[in-house]
Amino acid sequence: MVQGPMSNRALYAQRTIVKRTRRNQVVRIVKEHYLRDDLANPILTKSFHGGQVSNEQHDEAEEYCVFDASCFPHQVDVLERGASEGAITGVILLSTVLETVARVRGESARRRVLELCSSDQGGRFVLFPDDHHQETSVCAEPAVRGETRMQVDRRGFVRACRWLAEDAKAAGRAKPARLVAVSDSEEARAALEESQELRGLVSSGLVRVRSTESWIAERHPHLLDLVALSSTDGGDSDAKAPTGKASQHSSFLPYPRHVSAQEADRKCRLGLAHKGKLCCASRFSPWTALVKIAGKDGSEDAEVKVVGREALNRATEGDIVAVELVDGPGPEPGREAEAMAEGEAEGVGIASVAENDADASEVSASVRYARVICILRRAWNEKGYCGSIQPKSLPKDQATLMSTGRPVGVLFQPSDRRLPLVRIRTRQCGVLKDQRIIVVVDEWDANSAYPSGHYVRALGEIGDRETETKVILHQHGVSDPDEGFSPAVHACVPELPWSVPRDLNDPNRRDIKGMCVFSVDPPGCRDIDDALSARFVAPEEIPLDAMEAASLAASGKLVELGVHIADVTHFLKPNTAMDLEASRRCTSVYLVDRRIDMLPKPLTEDICSLRHGVDRFAFSVLWRMNVDTADVVGEPEFFKSVIHSKAALTYQEAQEKIDRGGDDDITRGLLLLRRVTRLLRKKRVDLGALTLASPEVKFEIDRETNNPLDVGMYVTRETNKVVEEMMLLANETVATRIFERGFSRSALLRRHPVPTKTMFEPLLKACQSAGIQMDVTTSRHLADSLDRAGSSDGGEKDAYLNTLIRFMATRCMTQAEYFSSGEVARSQFSHYGLAMPIYTHFTSPIRRYADVVVHRMLSACIGLEPPSEELCESALVTEQCQILNVRHKSAQLAGRASAELYTLVFFRGRPTEEPARVVKVRERGVVVFVPKYGIEGTVRLDGWAKVEQKKPAMASADGTRKVELFDRVRVRIEVQQEGQSRQEHLVLTIV
């Protein structure tokens, strides 16, 4: 930076911005803008090199490229690939171009372009601050009256290109520098070639003007498949454009034109339209969606249904849209043929209790219909989508199929069925036809049946387990385990072997190594977050002024329970490289065959893990309770500690100790914990806590081949409930402490909103038809109804039916979410499912970043460290909570997808017949649940008809067979491959 006052007045300028406010007032803003004359031309720096080229006379030169804003972020894929292969080098990114990208495309697009520089290890990309150079900044010359923002940006781009080329020429380099100005806007390219400042440089060959496609075709033709279609309008076009044969149905009609964003905003203000996020009603189809819109006059939000291609009008999953209400869904001609053309099929997989996992038939009958009139913000994944090329779109001619010289238009079938087919061009049909590939969506023209995109890379052969796992990770935004952590992150981890210092003298940490502490976890668990302790308190340990505690201790009824959590924040310091990476990942992801950690493995499995037989740092919470009532006596204690775990038990081993009994310290502690947690659980149930079912699946894996040997429902024991109850107690206690005594406006909490009666409609309808009484007025009434569900008049209980009803009840609820206490009314803090007035996550900091934040808040509350700005600002906590909620859900979906993949592998070549229960009745079949494997899916009943009666049923054409809701049936389970998507899926048929 230039030090001291500016001596040259030419290095000082004023930037004037004229803009219109929301109240339609014109405001003139003048900003000081300092320029420099000592910024080096990147072409002349030794560490930055261009690509080697030669002209017709074989004179060698170095080629440098400057891209304008029309190329970003669309062309990042081709630049990344070219740089990784060493093909593309000498790319100059202008700071003004990045500002334009952020203004037009958003901050996420700007960050993605900046990653080209941050991840560059070979000096192939450089960021040049053209806005602060005296010779390149538009502020250095007089403003042009009436000039638009786009014209100013274009003038700045021309100035930068001229100075870079002329300054490099004047330096008299041994190898002359040639500059390529790249723009994907035809209008901008014409303006560059005709500009007075560049005309001489263009005619002399020192500056060339090209589109990305033409430049790649000249210099790097093998990368042409990665070039995005030119798009200068934000990703959608209502203008007429040519479309390939692969993109069209013979009966296709152009989509209705979108209204402008300004017109959509005006309609929304007048109540003629509504804004909302579009979510597909089923994870198996893109053509029926729901949009949540704000209710009128403060009423609760409502959902509207958008059905069919025309009504969706090019909107896809996650888009922010403006919709107009319509009278009905409208005609959908050729719907069956359309579904078959895209390989759409009813899904079969692991049963889920996830929010919004219902199909369109489960939507409330009172829902209104709407159509999309404007897409306000696209939610297309900048990293692309996984899938494969649709076989029927491939060329029939073998020579054309295997040719690598001419691009061929094909249809890409995404693995995520909520997305439509995508039109791409490729020169590698013969290679990619049997591969899972990644494709980025570029635009969706109004005259094209499908969006257009470009190929990015191949993941591997279709059907290969490792390839399909890569698809799952990419589809859910999970960090690739092959990439690992950066060197900067590993530098934050203490060297191994690590141990607690023997001469530890920390006044803020209590030594409780003599306490009987032990952990209880699933088999094979290496990242042990939590440990427990329990003992009776002797009378001599009680202070004289604690009368109640002394009385209970004297009668042998005072117990001390402890939860000890790994002290991750001792090693994970705020704003370090490791902390920033953890805040980005937010959670560890558990797949069937692997774990993608939030933190480096030395921390998760060794340094922080509360392993048996070693000293470890912990954050401890202790309660003293009446053993007969589980009432807390006095205040809980919070402190950092050093513990020495006496045992690392599995749930089964702990259960065996409880069942067998014994007089050792660990068994006594387990028995004491069981005694108290039974009382704690009863208290919660009395308050309305719900016992909800979740179809968790467990696999037995062959250690050599990594293939599944067996699959079945996960079995829970009483020890699971003991540990769960202690974790719930710790989380509630910590939530109360950080909210009431430190962070009343910014505490990171977790809530489970109370479901509305409308959300329970599918459950109530099903139960009413089956003669099951269900009261959903309060959580207590719902819990009582669930306990009675499946009971007959004779007192016998159908356990499977009861479990199915609990599944259905869980699906009616929204998912729990993280939030900042400053953004939600106190009355909305409660956790509906747990029947707790306040709740957070404290007990798993090794695998959840939310717990890390809560640990820091608790440390500040008890005076161990000063609170940081990130913890005190509600807006910053809210921003982190939004990321946490997204990552948490993605991790859940990735885990479920992995279980579905291994279920498919298990049933390959192994058709099986198993008992099942009917859970839904549809127009063309029934949905069944297979309890043994946790599988749920549709059984198509061709030729059967839905019977109009009180209890939903399907009957065969001859009337000899009838299947009703909740009936027991026997199904055959086998694996088949869909013809067009090339995805394997389970097929269920009634035997």
Side-chain angles (χ1 to χ4, degrees), residues 34-238:
Y34 291 93
L35 305 177
R36 296 174 57 172
D37 58 1
D38 59 345
L39 294 173
N41 187 336
I43 295 176
L44 303 179
T45 57
K46 294 182 179 179
S47 59
F48 184 61
H49 301 284
Q52 300 298 315
V53 295
S54 59
N55 57 22
E56 296 176 356
Q57 289 75 36
H58 303 287
D59 296 327
E60 290 190 354
E62 284 192 355
E63 185 177 80
Y64 296 86
C65 298
V66 186
F67 289 79
D68 77 355
S70 67
C71 302
F72 295 123
H74 314 93
Q75 308 299 0
V76 170
D77 293 314
V78 68
L79 295 178
E80 282 179 338
R81 174 68 69 83
S84 66
E85 295 178 355
I88 293 179
T89 186
V91 177
I92 301 172
L93 303 176
L94 303 179
S95 60
T96 52
V97 168
L98 263 65
E99 289 177 10
T100 304
V101 169
R103 187 178 72 249
V104 177
R105 310 287 183 183
E107 183 60 29
S108 62
R110 176 181 174 275
R111 284 197 298 267
R112 186 157 188 237
V113 179
L114 271 177
E115 286 176 4
L116 290 171
C117 294
S118 61
S119 61
D120 179 28
Q121 301 296 325
R124 303 181 185 279
F125 300 90
V126 68
L127 179 63
F128 178 63
D130 60 305
D131 198 28
H132 291 278
H133 195 287
Q134 184 182 17
E135 298 294 334
T136 58
S137 175
V138 291
C139 294
E141 59 183 16
V144 179
R145 188 174 183 84
E147 197 174 35
T148 66
R149 190 65 177 264
M150 181 184 295
Q151 290 170 331
V152 172
D153 292 339
R154 192 169 294 164
R155 181 158 56 89
F157 186 73
V158 168
R159 280 178 61 84
C161 291
R162 177 190 59 77
W163 181 79
L164 289 169
E166 289 182 346
D167 189 60
K169 179 184 177 182
R173 292 162 43 99
K175 286 185 180 180
R178 228 165 59 181
L179 194 71
V180 181
V182 183
S183 175
D184 282 341
S185 166
E186 188 174 345
E187 181 185 349
R189 291 198 301 273
L192 288 171
E193 291 174 340
E194 296 170 3
S195 72
Q196 284 290 117
E197 294 186 71
L198 291 183
R199 187 173 297 171
L201 295 170
V202 171
S203 62
S204 66
L206 287 178
V207 174
R208 296 190 304 150
V209 180
R210 294 287 185 271
S211 67
T212 306
E213 184 173 13
S214 61
W215 177 64
I216 291 292
E218 290 176 6
R219 302 284 289 115
H220 316 288
H222 68 288
L223 298 174
L224 273 170
D225 279 6
L226 279 74
V227 176
L229 296 177
S230 298
S231 178
T232 59
D233 59 358
D236 295 303
S237 174
D238 285 328

Side-chain angles (χ1 to χ4, degrees), residues 893-944:
L893 294 176
R896 185 176 78 178
S898 178
E900 290 180 346
L901 170 62
Y902 272 77
T903 302
L904 285 171
V905 175
F906 176 76
F907 283 110
R908 279 178 187 166
R910 193 186 299 180
T912 306
E913 292 184 7
E914 288 293 336
R917 297 294 288 264
V918 176
V919 295
K920 295 173 199 165
V921 177
R922 292 178 171 168
E923 292 296 328
R924 296 189 299 272
V926 295
V927 179
V928 300
F929 174 70
V930 185
K932 181 176 180 180
Y933 300 117
I935 294 171
E936 183 184 58
T938 299
V939 179
R940 291 187 67 90
L941 297 174
D942 296 326
W944 290 47

Side-chain angles (χ1 to χ4, degrees), residues 282 284-285 343-349 359 417 922-927 936-940 978 985-988:
S282 167
F284 302 113
S285 170
E344 183 182 317
E346 299 290 356
V348 179
D359 59 72
R417 300 186 197 177
R922 292 178 171 168
E923 292 296 328
R924 296 189 299 272
V926 295
V927 179
E936 183 184 58
T938 299
V939 179
R940 291 187 67 90
E978 293 178 14
H985 64 284
L986 292 177
V987 174
L988 304 179

